[in-house]
């Protein structure tokens, strides 16, 4: 089960339980206008901070980090590659390239099939791994940026609400108190979304980036070993330090 979803759900329930204990009405904390301002304002400010290509990559990385998509079993995949290479030679791996749903691994196998020099192959893959790692980190930065904007947008909402209250000072004490309470809902939303949603998910993407970095280094070790014609045990030993249990 996804720990991020469990954690966020637990945090939200804790806030709701605290509101209930205080005896406040849950409906008093539900304001469509404030919700629209926080989500719309934060999304707009965040999107304005990045290019469309970076936003698209963020969407892909986010879905992957949340477990939407099937992980590749690298050990079984390389065991299959070794069997094919021993039986039919390295060139036979070309037929497997189209079946690999992993761009980095596909790139490595292609370099092997093309007969690249071992040193050149390793240098190309290391450079590609570093570039991919920077993209993964940038995706985490997108949510971190949203977590920074959200409380500020909440303050904007509060200021707007207080301006409306000041325009209606003659409405009576009860109406004045209700107006002030409503104004501060925007700040509540801004802080809550930042600390209970955006920043935790940003940390999730950072953790995912580290995992993918280790996975790419495992692939590099496996590709180099495969090209060198090493046996299955040695190949897996080279990959093992970079693979999660």
């Amino acid at each position: 089960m996804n720990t991020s979803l469990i954690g966020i759900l637990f945090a939200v329930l804790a806030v709701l339980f605290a509101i209930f204990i205080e005896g406040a009405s849950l409906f008093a904390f539900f304001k469509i206008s404030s919700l629209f301002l926080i989500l719309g304002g934060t999304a707009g400010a965040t999107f304005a901070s990045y290019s469309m290509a970076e936003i698209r990559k963020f969407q892909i990385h986010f879905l992957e980090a949340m477990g939407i998509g099937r992980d590749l079993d690298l050990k079984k995949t390389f065991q299959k590659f070794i069997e094919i290479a021993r039986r039919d030679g390295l060139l036979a791996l070309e037929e497997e390239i189209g079946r690999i749903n992993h761009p980095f691994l596909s790139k490595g196998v292609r370099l092997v099939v093309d007969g690249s020099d071992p040193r050149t192959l390793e240098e190309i893959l290391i450079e590609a791994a570093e570039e991919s790692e920077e993209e993964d980190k940038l995706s985490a930065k997108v949510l971190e940026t949203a977590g920074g904007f959200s409380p500020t947008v909440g303050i904007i909402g509060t200021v707007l609400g207080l301006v409306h209250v000041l325009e209606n000072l003659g409405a009576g004490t009860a109406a004045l108190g209700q107006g002030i309470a409503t104004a501060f809902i925007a700040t509540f939303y801004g802080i809550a979304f930042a600390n209970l949603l955006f920043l935790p998910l940003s940390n999730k993407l950072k953790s995912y980036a580290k995992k993918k970095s280790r996975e790419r280094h495992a692939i590099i070790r496996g590709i180099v070993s495969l090209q060198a014609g090493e046996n299955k045990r040695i190949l897996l030993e080279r990959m093992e330090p970079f693979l999660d249990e």
Side-chain angles (χ1 to χ4, degrees):
M1 188 174 291
N2 195 302
T3 56
S4 294
L5 296 179
I6 295 174
I8 291 172
L9 179 60
F10 184 81
V12 171
L13 290 177
V15 172
L16 295 177
F17 186 64
I19 294 173
F20 175 77
I21 291 177
E22 288 294 323
S25 171
L26 293 178
F27 293 103
F29 286 83
F30 184 71
K31 301 294 179 184
I32 292 294
S33 57
S34 297
L35 191 63
F36 180 80
L37 173 64
I38 297 302
L39 293 180
T42 300
T46 302
F47 288 165
S49 303
Y50 299 92
S51 67
M52 187 55 67
E54 290 170 337
I55 294 298
R56 289 197 189 101
K57 288 178 181 177
F58 156 72
Q59 293 173 336
I60 294 172
H61 294 158
F62 178 77
L63 293 176
E64 291 177 349
M66 296 304 292
I68 300 178
R70 186 173 60 182
D71 288 334
L72 182 66
D73 190 328
L74 289 178
K75 289 184 179 180
K76 289 184 179 179
T77 300
F78 271 95
Q79 287 173 353
K80 179 181 179 182
F81 288 168
I82 290 175
E83 292 173 0
I84 294 174
R86 283 184 173 178
R87 185 178 65 247
D88 304 317
L90 290 174
L91 291 178
L93 293 173
E94 186 171 12
E95 297 180 2
E96 297 297 316
I97 294 176
R99 304 189 185 102
I100 301 173
N101 189 25
H102 193 297
F104 189 79
L105 177 57
S106 178
K107 182 183 186 71
V109 175
R110 170 63 68 184
L111 289 171
V112 170
V113 172
D114 290 343
S116 302
D117 176 79
R119 182 175 179 180
T120 301
L121 178 148
E122 189 170 7
E123 289 177 350
I124 291 174
L125 290 180
I126 289 175
E127 290 173 358
E130 291 175 350
E131 182 180 354
S132 296
E133 186 174 354
E134 289 302 315
E135 291 179 354
D136 291 343
K137 290 180 178 178
L138 182 62
S139 294
K141 189 69 176 177
V142 171
L143 281 173
E144 192 173 314
T145 300
F149 281 130
S150 182
T152 305
V153 176
I155 293 174
I156 293 174
T158 297
V159 172
L160 292 175
L162 290 176
V163 169
H164 178 68
V165 169
L166 293 174
E167 288 179 341
N168 297 275
L169 285 177
T173 305
L176 183 63
Q178 184 178 4
I180 294 175
T182 300
F184 279 100
I185 292 298
T187 297
F188 168 75
Y189 278 162
I191 296 174
F193 274 107
N195 292 280
L196 302 183
L197 185 65
F198 298 134
L199 295 180
L201 290 179
S202 174
N203 290 333
K204 178 75 172 184
L205 280 179
K206 289 177 183 178
S207 177
Y208 173 75
K210 292 179 181 179
K211 174 185 175 183
K212 297 300 289 184
S213 177
R214 292 195 302 270
E215 181 182 276
R216 283 187 284 266
H217 280 85
I219 289 174
I220 293 173
R221 299 276 73 80
I223 289 293
V224 171
S225 181
L226 180 67
Q227 187 186 46
E230 296 177 337
N231 62 51
K232 184 187 302 182
R233 184 179 63 82
I234 296 298
L235 183 148
L236 294 179
E237 284 289 339
R238 291 184 181 277
M239 294 177 63
E240 190 66 33
F242 301 99
L243 295 176
D244 293 328
E245 292 296 333

